[in-house]
Amino acid sequence: MISKVLIANRGEIALRVILACKELGLKTVAVHSEADRDALHVRYADDDVCIGPAVSRQSYLNISSIIAAAEITGADAVHPGYGFLSENPHFAEILDECRLTFIGPRAATIRLMGDKAAARDTVKKIGVPILPGSDGPLSTVEEAAGVARVIGFPVILKAAAGGGGRGMRICWQESDLETAFHAARNEAERAFGVADVYLEKYLERPRHVEIQIFGDTHGRIVHLGERECSIQRRHQKLIEESPSVAVDADLRRRMGDAAIRIAQAVNYVNAGTIEFLLDGENFYFMEMNTRIQVEHPVTEAVTSIDLVKEQILVAGGAPLSVPEGVFHLRGHAIEFRINAEDPVTFAPNPGKITAFHLPGGPGVRVDTAVYRDYVVPPHYDSLIAKLIVHGKDRAEAIARGKRALELFTIEGVKTSIPLHRAILADPRFASGDLSTRFMEEFSRNQ
Ligand code: ADP
């Protein structure tokens, strides 16, 4: 049994984990950098430990300081949140050696699925569709050109260690390959320390549809329906919703079954997400995320399952609380990522929040760790709040989104709120005519 959880993260997700622990009657430990002394997760945890200077490498990514913090405070489990060390197999292994429970999957699973080229191979072997592409990483431009000629252009080069939309390059014709190959490798090397890139067919107008899965330590694995995350900029999600207008009961069953088979093939434990690209009725495995996702609240809204509490309980050895049998997604939920950034250029805009007012009312949830007079530090990712709206159907969720965004006041820093309001006013969004190119086309029309 787990009794005290250290949260190896910051911001809204650190607070989200603390809330789950409070409901479960568990004690919490916040770790923080010198830049985060005034953060809410520090204020609300039972214990807190400063683990280093602002720069993440020396604090939130500093494994030995985090383990020392757990030992000093008597924590017996660690929740990694998302980002930072959440998909670092070495971290999961060391925790294991120190007899601390990692609230997530096994280290071996993280390692296998963290290599996107190896994950493709694993998935191909069990017969779940993947996009045509290279077998593993490519050594030379000539090799890339050979594969691209066989599958046809356009193709996309992707970093094997990828994440956050980095290390990807689209090639529309053979003459694009040379520059793109070196650029993708350089970006991958800089971002992940591993230059390996692979190649797959580029779909021109797909939807991004992912399946939430959950496994317990007793061998049971379930799926909890889909999230559509097609509204992206620079391959990063901006708005997510569940269910997807493009997924009917039959497609949900087929995608859910495929996701469960993938999870079974890697003995998956805890919360995970299988990402697919959906092209008409056809879906293709893209990657697996072996952690809780930023967009998990939309699934919580339509399934009434608290995914973070479930993560902690399952890590402590409990069987999944999800009932047997086919479930129904209840109503419709949409999440808006509110970033401290310029809504036009997307450049980060850290600084002091001078006014702050949260929307409320039926069907509105806000996950945030900022407050009035809080200074958004420049060192971390620019997500400062998530607005999640839930309605009986998509139209009601959109109406709630509009009125909540209208009342949501954040002053002092620029945010993505005006962008979200413009997207909600767009007739194409309202009609559900989405694809991963939506934002590109939307920006052109503004
Ligand atoms: P990351 O791990 O960096 O988030 P993903 O593999 O999840 O990268 O891809 C992120 C996004 O990039 C997808 O949601 C999609 O919009 C786009 N993308 C990735 N692969 C393809 C592809 N083969 N065809 C079209 N778009 C793609």
Side-chain angles (χ1 to χ4, degrees), residues 116 131 156 158 162-166 168 200-203 206 208 232 235 275 277 286-287 436:
K116 290 163 74 169
L131 285 164
I156 182 167
K158 297 170 77 169
R166 283 168 302 176
M168 276 193 274
E200 65 186 23
K201 181 84 188 163
Y202 179 71
L203 294 177
H208 173 122
Q232 308 177 346
H235 305 298
E275 295 189 337
L277 288 178
M286 192 163 46
E287 67 161 338
T436 54

Side-chain angles (χ1 to χ4, degrees), residues 39-72:
L40 277 191
H41 75 283
V42 178
R43 201 178 307 169
Y44 289 151
D46 295 295
D47 287 333
D48 57 84
V49 181
C50 180
I51 50 166
V55 45
S56 311
R57 226 174 327 104
Q58 293 175 50
S59 50
Y60 297 104
L61 294 172
N62 185 341
I63 295 181
S64 43
S65 299
I66 293 170
I67 292 188
E71 279 170 0
I72 295 163

